[in-house]
Amino acid sequence: MENSFGKITTLEAVLEFFHNGMTIMFGGFGGVGSPPTLIDGILEKGIRELTLIGNDTGFPHIGIGKLISKDLAKKVIASHIGSNPIAGQLMHDGKLEVEFSPQGILAERIRAGGVGLPAFLSDIGMDNEMVAKNKPLFAIDGKNYLVETALTAEVSIIYAKKADEYGNLVYDKSARNTNPLVAMAGDITIAEVEEIVPMGSLNPDEIITPGVFVDYLIPSKGVNWKWAWE
């Protein structure tokens, strides 16, 4: 396999971008579509005090939940944590800060970060203290809206089924989920992929994430989430 763009690399090489106290954005829904090889590498490196941004907290032993279960995160920005009771317990004990965002709003906050918008307006959750807490209001034509700030991260980690050497990505069915949005919103985006193919091998109509958003590609060692919702 050629590596004309220098994007194909190893897990060991990309782990140099991870450090204590950083912000990581991750793809996945209940663990499905999260990059297990990258998550295991972060776990083995023992990086702590992380701020994690993604749809949810996975399961205790699947997806980003593996990091949370080891008490490596200080804050999570997510739409729910219900599939991971350890996350709930840590939040209850005051060991994990959780910022909840409605799922669609969370996705749009990530998209906004990816396209360079600082914030957007929404009336969703106006009457919900958990959603509206500490958010400024902006009035248009006499109606108030919440100001929802965009989300970005130092590193985004995603999972895809196929990539070519430039980083154009194809996803597998529902494992696509939030990965395309997360790919846009990281200062550095690392894609763990099942298969890397030569340039020209991908059908252009199947490409969801253009390679311009992807900085590095690493081969996956296999997924651990296929049974998660069975």
Side-chain angles (χ1 to χ4, degrees):
M1 174 63 61
E2 295 185 15
N3 192 15
S4 304
F5 303 96
K7 294 186 177 185
I8 303 172
T9 187
T10 64
L11 174 64
E12 291 71 25
V14 297
L15 285 177
E16 296 300 317
F17 295 110
F18 296 88
H19 58 84
N20 291 342
M22 72 179 299
T23 300
I24 299 173
M25 191 177 291
F26 60 94
F29 186 107
V32 176
S34 295
T37 302
L38 281 165
I39 290 170
D40 285 347
I42 296 167
L43 181 64
E44 291 170 9
K45 193 171 180 180
I47 301 165
R48 311 186 66 85
E49 297 294 305
L50 297 171
T51 296
L52 302 174
I53 304 172
N55 182 70
D56 53 75
T57 53
F59 291 83
H61 304 294
I62 296 178
I64 210 71
K66 297 176 75 171
L67 301 180
I68 293 167
S69 297
K70 295 295 184 180
D71 198 18
L72 299 180
K74 65 177 181 181
K75 181 177 180 178
V76 170
I77 302 175
S79 68
H80 72 91
I81 63 172
S83 58
N84 189 344
I86 295 177
Q89 187 62 53
L90 288 170
M91 181 182 72
H92 181 269
D93 294 342
K95 297 180 179 179
L96 177 68
E97 179 184 354
V98 180
E99 178 183 332
F100 288 107
S101 193
Q103 194 168 76
I105 296 298
L106 178 66
E108 183 63 10
R109 292 177 72 188
I110 294 170
R111 191 197 71 85
V115 299
L117 298 175
F120 62 92
L121 304 180
S122 170
D123 61 357
I124 295 174
M126 292 284 296
D127 57 351
N128 186 300
E129 181 180 356
M130 187 174 293
V131 174
K133 185 178 180 181
N134 297 326
K135 291 179 181 175
L137 299 177
F138 190 90
I140 299 179
D141 294 333
K143 181 177 179 179
N144 284 329
Y145 297 87
L146 296 173
V147 177
E148 294 282 1
T149 55
L151 293 171
T152 58
E154 293 171 67
V155 177
S156 284
I157 57 173
I158 61 174
Y159 185 89
K161 184 176 179 61
K162 287 185 181 181
D164 61 22
E165 62 179 291
Y166 183 58
N168 295 310
L169 301 181
V170 174
Y171 300 96
D172 184 16
K173 306 180 188 68
S174 63
R176 169 176 164 179
N177 50 62
T178 61
N179 279 295
L181 299 176
V182 171
M184 300 165 61
D187 295 339
I188 296 172
T189 294
I190 304 169
E192 175 182 334
V193 295
E194 185 177 325
E195 182 181 4
I196 303 175
V197 300
M199 289 288 291
S201 299
L202 299 177
N203 181 339
D205 290 335
E206 294 180 332
I207 294 170
I208 302 300
T209 296
V212 68
F213 291 115
V214 178
D215 297 289
Y216 297 100
L217 300 164
I218 70 160
S220 178
K221 296 180 181 179
V223 303
N224 63 351
W225 37 255
K226 285 189 175 181
W227 62 271
W229 291 100
E230 292 178 357

